[in-house]
């Protein structure tokens, strides 16, 4: 567990968009409303990833989202040496028969360290797609029904309906309608 957490914090201090800026929710949909529209939207939001990881941890399958995120980060890696290092880290953490957080992917028994000799940005794509499908058609639907998701959604709704939020909205409305 500690090794997995350390790996994640080293390689993913925060989830960023394609330009390296922290991801933000779409202006029309926020938080849980946006997460509920698709797994892709959930994975673009750092808070969504945090809650989904919390849920997957309880299901003993957190390694799936960690692997998916590691692959996303790997695609952005520049330089052959850095790519080799990250590829080896991903392989040893998620794909090796001795991996600390092994993911269950098709063809895994045929994988060997020889794939690490000539790394390229999409070398894990097929495996990442398998894990994404597994999460999308299995864990994600359960997440949307989970206490973690529903409690977070309830908290958001209470926040939106709080007197402070309504007062701020009225102030903003007065400013724009004068």
């Amino acid at each position: 567990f500690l090794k997995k957490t350390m790996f994640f914090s080293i390689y993913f201090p925060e989830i960023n968009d394609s330009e390296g800026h922290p991801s933000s929710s779409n202006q029309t949909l926020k938080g849980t409303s946006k997460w509920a529209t698709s797994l892709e939207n959930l994975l673009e939001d750092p808070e969504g990833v945090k809650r989904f990881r919390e849920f997957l941890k309880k299901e003993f399958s957190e390694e799936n989202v960690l692997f998916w995120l590691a692959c996303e980060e790997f695609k952005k890696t520049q330089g052959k040496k850095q790519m080799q290092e990250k590829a080896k880290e991903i392989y040893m953490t998620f794909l090796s028969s001795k991996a600390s957080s092994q993911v269950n992917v098709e063809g895994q028994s045929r994988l060997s360290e020889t794939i690490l000799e000539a790394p390229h940005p999409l070398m894990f794509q097929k495996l990442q797609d398998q894990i994404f499908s597994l999460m999308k058609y299995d864990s994600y639907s359960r997440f949307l029904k989970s206490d973690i998701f529903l409690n977070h959604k309830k908290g958001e709704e209470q926040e939106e309906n709080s007197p402070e939020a309504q007062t701020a909205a009225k102030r903003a409305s007065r400013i724009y309608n004068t």
Side-chain angles (χ1 to χ4, degrees):
F1 172 73
L2 186 58
K3 188 173 182 178
K4 189 188 319 179
T5 306
M6 208 166 74
F7 174 82
F8 189 79
S9 63
I10 290 169
Y11 288 101
F12 312 104
E14 63 182 306
I15 307 303
N16 296 319
D17 66 15
S18 60
E19 298 174 78
H21 302 105
S23 292
S24 60
S25 294
N26 183 320
Q27 295 307 310
T28 54
L29 289 177
K30 293 183 180 172
T32 54
S33 298
K34 187 169 181 185
W35 304 347
T37 61
S38 72
L39 178 58
E40 291 88 339
N41 285 341
L42 172 71
L43 294 172
E44 287 174 1
D45 184 339
E47 184 64 24
V49 170
K50 179 181 171 186
R51 300 298 173 172
F52 192 47
R53 282 184 64 200
E54 192 180 324
F55 169 75
L56 291 176
K57 215 178 273 187
K58 289 182 176 192
E59 290 211 332
F60 304 101
S61 59
E62 181 189 23
E63 66 279 356
N64 291 334
V65 73
L66 294 178
F67 173 73
W68 188 88
L69 291 165
C71 292
E72 283 298 290
E73 197 62 29
F74 178 75
K75 291 175 193 174
K76 301 174 195 169
T77 304
Q78 301 291 315
K80 188 176 180 182
K81 185 162 177 54
Q82 287 85 349
M83 200 174 275
Q84 284 176 320
E85 288 170 6
K86 280 192 177 184
K88 184 174 184 178
E89 185 70 34
I90 288 171
Y91 178 82
M92 298 309 285
T93 305
F94 301 107
L95 301 169
S96 158
S97 60
K98 298 173 188 151
S100 57
S101 300
Q102 190 177 43
V103 291
N104 188 11
V105 288
E106 229 177 275
Q108 193 159 13
S109 59
R110 294 188 303 269
L111 282 177
S112 71
E113 287 187 56
T114 57
I115 67 165
L116 305 175
E117 291 169 11
H120 57 89
L122 299 177
M123 67 187 280
F124 298 117
Q125 188 65 52
K126 195 173 184 180
L127 303 175
Q128 183 186 18
D129 290 346
Q130 284 181 39
I131 292 299
F132 183 84
S133 289
L134 177 70
M135 291 189 300
K136 184 175 184 171
Y137 297 109
D138 186 38
S139 331
Y140 174 65
S141 57
R142 285 196 310 279
F143 170 70
L144 295 177
K145 297 172 191 162
S146 73
D147 287 343
I148 291 171
F149 176 81
L150 296 173
N151 289 339
H152 192 75
K153 183 177 179 178
K154 189 176 176 182
E156 279 180 350
E157 290 166 355
Q158 287 173 344
E159 207 173 279
E160 286 174 11
N161 296 326
S162 72
E164 296 86 21
Q166 290 174 355
T167 303
K170 285 179 187 173
R171 277 197 307 268
S173 154
R174 279 197 302 269
I175 291 169
Y176 292 110
N177 292 325
T178 55

